[in-house]
Amino acid sequence: MHDLMRRLYPLCRSLTGDGVRQTLAALRELIPLELHEVPTGTPVLDWTVPMEWNVRDAYVKAPSGERVVDFRESNLHVVGYSVPVRERLSLAELREHLHSLPERPDWIPYRTSYWERSWGFCLRHDRLVELADGMYDVRIDSSLEPGHLTYGELELPGETEDEVLISTHVCHPSLANDNRAGIAVATFLARRLAREPCRRFTYRFLFVPGTIGPITWLARNQERVPRIRHGLVLALLGDPGSPTYKRSRRGDAEVDRAAAHVLRRSGADGEIVGFSPYGYDERQYCSPGFDLPVGRLTRSPGGEFAEYHTSADDLELVRPELLAHSLTTAAAIVEILEGNSTYLNQSPKGEPQLGRRGLYGSLGGAAGGRERELALLWVLNLSDGGHSLLDVAERADLPFETVRDAADALLEHGLLAERGV
Ligand code: ZN
């Protein structure tokens, strides 16, 4: 995942444009993404697909002739969606278009102006204060023209048409945690699920620009929306903060309970936060007209790590072991969604004799043995058609996996049956 992030580093991603296409092309070497191109001007819900933005070069040249701000050094130097510019300006005029962080003088801020025609440069405050009076040549060789919005979609069919939606944003340029980390984790989760011999649910992965991406997908897929049973927005999954899960608008959806179970048991000080209509693309999936059971997994929530939206959000901040932990966490949530079912005890009067069936005491004395036996008893006791295996795991305070294994053993011996639908 870290290698993938390194590869995606130089690409100048934005809401639209070739940086997104090149990013998705790189992901296609790992997962069979389908690419969609939606023309500028297409109405999508209350929005319209914007102009396509591409930038080839941009710089500010000092009176000395030196490029004091240079897009070729970092794509963060150009305000995203800057209109083309070729001007000669005094320092005072230029400064109205310069953004820096006085409190972090050696970091470049990340800024965009998607919905208002404008232009600007972002630079280290250290460099800004050194700029001498005089005339500056300013050049932004960009295009902002009718084109397309590009997004990637991967469908992994399952035994049912019920879907699990996994969505991540692809619109940020050379930042690491936000959101090459989310892209990397989603890609490797897709790879892992693609290798499963059978999946209960159909999985739909979306690699979309923030806000306008999910709005575009939702607008084009309204007939598919009712099939979404569970969903996760994956973002900012590589910083040293502990995992944070944000509940869906519903607050008690199965994915909310699955994530809470995983975080509670992971021992990693995971945090669960309630829904709010602010944040990443869960805002769209959880808008009231859809109200989908979609939560969000991040590490430090957006904006709550110092490096957020600056050049310091780099590959030093994001460590491979943190990415791996995030992937494990996301996969554990998905495993619960896949494995959670409700059963009926087929021998509910008195306890069935487990020893006779080799289910009891077979691991007598082994450390995991007692937990396994407890799980068998809990599953039998609560499988009255009204409790799912996740309910059992929560009530018994056992790992879901142990409960799932117990249910499989009981199913094998005919002691459980699927609850009729
Ligand atoms: Zn961001």
Side-chain angles (χ1 to χ4, degrees):
M1 288 186 280
H2 209 251
D3 286 346
L4 173 62
M5 289 181 62
R6 185 170 290 115
R7 221 181 129 195
L8 300 180
Y9 171 78
L11 304 175
C12 186
R13 283 166 293 274
S14 187
L15 286 193
T16 60
D18 291 334
V20 174
R21 289 190 188 94
Q22 289 155 3
T23 298
L24 298 176
L27 302 186
R28 272 166 68 111
E29 292 174 22
L30 298 164
I31 50 173
L33 271 186
E34 188 186 340
L35 265 49
H36 298 271
E37 298 274 358
V38 185
T40 297
T42 305
V44 283
L45 305 180
D46 194 46
W47 299 58
T48 305
V49 172
M51 297 283 193
E52 180 175 325
W53 185 66
N54 285 289
V55 55
R56 286 159 291 276
D57 191 16
Y59 57 83
V60 174
K61 210 179 264 184
S64 65
E66 184 201 353
R67 280 187 176 209
V68 287
V69 186
D70 190 350
F71 172 77
R72 293 180 307 199
E73 273 172 24
S74 166
N75 57 37
L76 297 177
H77 278 312
V78 177
V79 171
Y81 262 67
S82 282
V83 297
V85 177
R86 186 196 284 273
E87 287 195 55
R88 203 168 154 75
L89 299 173
S90 70
L91 180 59
E93 290 168 313
L94 173 63
R95 281 194 75 140
E96 289 174 28
H97 295 275
L98 300 183
H99 307 272
S100 68
L101 294 169
E103 67 280 12
R104 297 285 190 178
D106 57 339
W107 294 359
I108 308 168
Y110 163 58
R111 297 279 184 275
T112 61
S113 183
Y114 294 141
W115 307 102
E116 195 178 320
R117 284 181 71 87
S118 149
W119 64 269
F121 287 91
C122 301
L123 69 164
R124 293 179 180 85
H125 193 69
D126 280 349
R127 184 163 296 181
L128 188 148
V129 297
E130 283 171 1
L131 297 181
D133 271 334
M135 296 306 286
Y136 285 78
D137 281 317
V138 176
R139 175 87 168 108
I140 299 180
D141 180 13
S142 65
S143 56
L144 187 57
E145 304 169 335
H148 294 84
L149 176 150
T150 313
Y151 68 87
E153 182 169 11
L154 171 66
E155 181 187 303
L156 299 172
E159 287 165 6
T160 68
E161 287 195 338
D162 289 347
E163 294 196 356
V164 179
L165 179 75
I166 309 282
S167 180
T168 196
H169 63 275
V170 296
C171 50
H172 287 48
S174 294
L175 302 176
N177 196 36
D178 183 12
N179 186 38
R180 277 179 290 146
I183 295 171
V185 171
T187 301
F188 279 77
L189 181 62
R191 260 165 76 98
R192 186 183 279 212
L193 282 163
R195 283 198 296 258
E196 290 290 326
C198 61
R199 294 171 294 267
R200 174 177 165 199
F201 291 111
T202 293
Y203 286 81
R204 185 167 307 282
F205 283 80
L206 299 180
F207 295 82
V208 283
T211 305
I212 191 70
I215 284 174
T216 300
W217 186 85
L218 286 163
R220 288 158 54 97
N221 291 276
Q222 296 206 43
E223 80 298 335
R224 195 180 287 283
V225 165
R227 296 187 201 159
I228 297 172
R229 291 283 176 273
H230 317 285
L232 270 179
V233 167
L234 298 180
L236 294 88
L237 284 165
D239 67 275
S242 43
T244 302
Y245 177 79
K246 176 181 168 181
R247 290 183 185 275
S248 71
R249 181 176 182 269
R250 300 181 187 186
D252 63 347
E254 200 171 320
V255 65
D256 298 326
R257 299 183 52 228
H261 181 82
V262 169
L263 261 58
R264 192 163 45 238
R265 298 202 67 93
S266 75
D269 292 331
E271 200 189 336
I272 310 280
V273 298
F275 177 77
S276 72
Y278 186 73
Y280 293 99
D281 289 335
E282 69 280 4
R283 293 159 69 160
Q284 313 311 327
Y285 302 119
C286 294
S287 56
F290 294 112
D291 194 18
L292 292 172
V294 175
R296 185 190 77 190
L297 186 66
T298 60
R299 295 188 75 88
S300 297
E304 291 178 25
F305 59 102
E307 299 86 353
Y308 180 75
H309 280 191
T310 74
S311 55
D313 178 2
D314 61 15
L315 284 175
E316 295 295 303
L317 176 74
V318 171
R319 303 307 313 146
E321 61 274 18
L322 299 170
L323 292 167
H325 181 256
S326 296
L327 176 60
T328 306
T329 304
I333 295 170
V334 166
E335 270 164 37
I336 293 182
L337 299 174
E338 277 283 300
N340 192 27
S341 274
T342 302
Y343 297 102
L344 279 171
N345 180 341
Q346 298 299 291
S347 179
K349 293 185 171 168
E351 286 179 358
Q353 201 184 350
L354 298 179
R356 169 155 58 85
R357 297 173 172 90
L359 285 167
Y360 207 72
S362 53
L363 293 169
R370 190 176 141 67
E371 198 170 68
R372 183 174 174 276
E373 287 173 7
L374 269 175
L376 290 168
L377 297 175
W378 274 108
V379 170
L380 283 168
N381 191 281
L382 290 180
S383 288
D384 53 6
H387 296 89
S388 69
L389 294 183
L390 183 54
D391 293 328
V392 176
E394 290 293 280
R395 180 117 170 235
D397 193 22
L398 289 169
F400 180 83
E401 214 184 321
T402 307
V403 171
R404 178 69 255 181
D405 289 347
D408 287 338
L410 293 167
L411 279 164
E412 216 173 284
H413 286 84
L415 287 171
L416 284 187
E418 290 273 358
R419 184 186 62 176
V421 188

